[in-house]
Amino acid sequence: MSTHAKRERLLFADLLESAGPDAPTLCKGWTTRELAAHLVVRERRVDAAGGILVKPLAARLERVQAEFAAKPYEELIQLIRTGPPRLSPFALKQIDEASNTVEFYVHAEDVRRAQPDWAARELDPVFSDALWTRIERLSRVLGRKSPVGLVLRRPDGRTAVAHRGTPVVTVVGEPGELTMFTFGRQAVADVELDGDKDAVARVRQAELGL
């Protein structure tokens, strides 16, 4: 049975393939080739991937990532499609689903929404609920750098508090859009922000995300 993570992985690989190796993304000024290399290293080189979160290891991560980026683009896409090696933590279905569902969704949108003629993707209700569950659990971490109080709200009224404080800004949108917003892609997220004008402006510029 296919999981959300597996489906998002394949959709991401398809987007990389159709965009080509030199297309822009929303991620740190990387091209699609560099973004692909980042995902491959994250899953296949645990010895280097620690640099994503641990600054003293960042130089090693950049070096290894550059080595992978130099590989043929088609090879990188195939490595993403086939998934992590057997000994990778991500090879475990539970870890893959917990760690990669949002990861691949966001990075796929990093590719999609960086293109000038991008069109919004329609998400099915089951997947929207899966994204919401993850945002709800991670909300305090994702919103920890918010300069004001931050509340996330779905159109049906379900709510998560991402950061306590005043004044409060409420971000209203579908789970996919709230995911993009809380992962630092505020500029491309289709959401409505309710709150004091200055507070709203500060949230739009805040460094949200992991």
Side-chain angles (χ1 to χ4, degrees), residues 49-87:
I52 296 172
L53 298 175
V54 183
K55 286 188 177 180
L57 302 178
R60 175 175 174 76
L61 170 63
E62 289 179 11
R63 185 171 66 254
V64 173
Q65 201 159 285
E67 291 171 0
F68 273 88
K71 292 179 180 292
Y73 187 61
E74 296 75 14
E75 182 180 336
L76 292 175
I77 294 175
Q78 185 60 18
L79 288 172
I80 290 170
R81 276 205 177 102
T82 55
R86 187 169 56 87
L87 295 179

Side-chain angles (χ1 to χ4, degrees), residues 7 49-50 100 171 195:
R7 184 182 68 175
N100 281 335
V171 186

Side-chain angles (χ1 to χ4, degrees), residues 20-145:
D22 302 313
T25 75
L26 300 179
C27 196
K28 302 179 181 178
W30 288 344
T31 63
T32 40
R33 175 186 293 278
E34 292 160 328
L35 180 55
H38 165 75
L39 268 295
V40 171
V41 170
R42 175 178 171 271
E43 288 194 319
R44 292 176 173 266
R45 289 293 302 272
V46 179
D47 60 307
I52 296 172
L53 298 175
V54 183
K55 286 188 177 180
L57 302 178
R60 175 175 174 76
L61 170 63
E62 289 179 11
R63 185 171 66 254
V64 173
Q65 201 159 285
E67 291 171 0
F68 273 88
K71 292 179 180 292
Y73 187 61
E74 296 75 14
E75 182 180 336
L76 292 175
I77 294 175
Q78 185 60 18
L79 288 172
I80 290 170
R81 276 205 177 102
T82 55
R86 187 169 56 87
L87 295 179
S88 169
F90 295 104
L92 296 172
K93 182 179 177 180
Q94 295 88 340
I95 294 178
D96 181 47
E97 187 71 355
S99 302
N100 281 335
T101 296
V102 170
E103 182 82 8
F104 281 108
Y105 170 75
V106 169
H107 284 318
E109 293 303 301
D110 282 338
V111 176
R112 186 195 311 278
R113 301 186 189 207
Q115 313 314 313
D117 57 347
W118 73 274
R121 172 186 166 192
E122 215 169 293
L123 304 183
D124 65 75
V126 173
F127 185 53
S128 287
D129 285 345
L131 289 176
W132 172 253
T133 297
R134 286 159 176 78
I135 297 169
E136 200 173 22
R137 289 173 181 167
L138 287 171
S139 59
R140 298 295 179 88
V141 176
L142 296 170
R144 70 191 185 284
K145 293 184 180 180

